[in-house]
Amino acid sequence: VQLQASGGGLVQAGGFLRLSCAASGNFFSIHTMGWYRQAPGNQRELVAAITSGGSTNYADSVKGRFTISRDNAKNTVYLQMNSLKPEDTAVYYCNMGVSLVTGYGMDYWGKGTQVTVSS
């Protein structure tokens, strides 16, 4: 299973970006999908997550500005980021909990995409 993230870049404060992450490979189903971020010198932190039933969870710092969504037919998770702030600058990683055809569950990570917000 591979996760391919895209959509990062450089944007001015107040701007927006949309991240996408698509899963490919041989698996049975995807449960929770999420986005994490890691800024230099900081630990990786949860930004947002969405369950297979559509329930969402957001970090307090992004509530009201970021929206996570998923397209199960495309095995893809999105993160719409509005009103971006310089403190949102980080490498963003997608994460998916996957049920394999073998019956085992595995956690997968994308390689990360850089988001830089200039002031």
Side-chain angles (χ1 to χ4, degrees):
V1 179
Q2 291 187 328
L3 305 187
Q4 182 64 50
S6 61
L10 172 64
V11 64
Q12 288 187 332
F16 63 92
L17 286 172
R18 188 189 194 212
L19 305 183
S20 301
C21 178
S24 61
N26 192 19
F27 53 88
F28 180 69
S29 64
I30 303 174
H31 304 293
T32 299
M33 298 178 172
W35 288 95
Y36 290 70
R37 68 186 180 187
Q38 187 168 18
N42 291 354
Q43 290 187 334
R44 190 173 297 189
E45 63 175 359
L46 174 68
V47 176
I50 183 167
T51 68
S52 56
S55 296
T56 58
N57 181 40
Y58 294 93
D60 288 342
S61 59
V62 307
K63 283 181 181 176
R65 300 188 297 123
F66 291 11
T67 301
I68 190 170
S69 61
R70 62 190 285 168
D71 185 333
N72 292 326
K74 296 181 179 180
N75 299 316
T76 299
V77 62
Y78 305 96
L79 185 68
Q80 179 67 42
M81 305 185 292
N82 298 329
S83 302
L84 282 161
K85 303 176 180 180
E87 50 263 43
D88 295 318
T89 296
V91 177
Y92 284 69
Y93 298 89
C94 57
N95 172 271
M96 296 188 188
V98 177
S99 288
L100 303 176
V101 294
T102 57
Y104 290 100
M106 290 285 290
D107 215 33
Y108 290 91
W109 292 88
K111 287 186 177 179
T113 183
Q114 177 71 46
V115 172
T116 303
V117 184
S118 63
S119 57

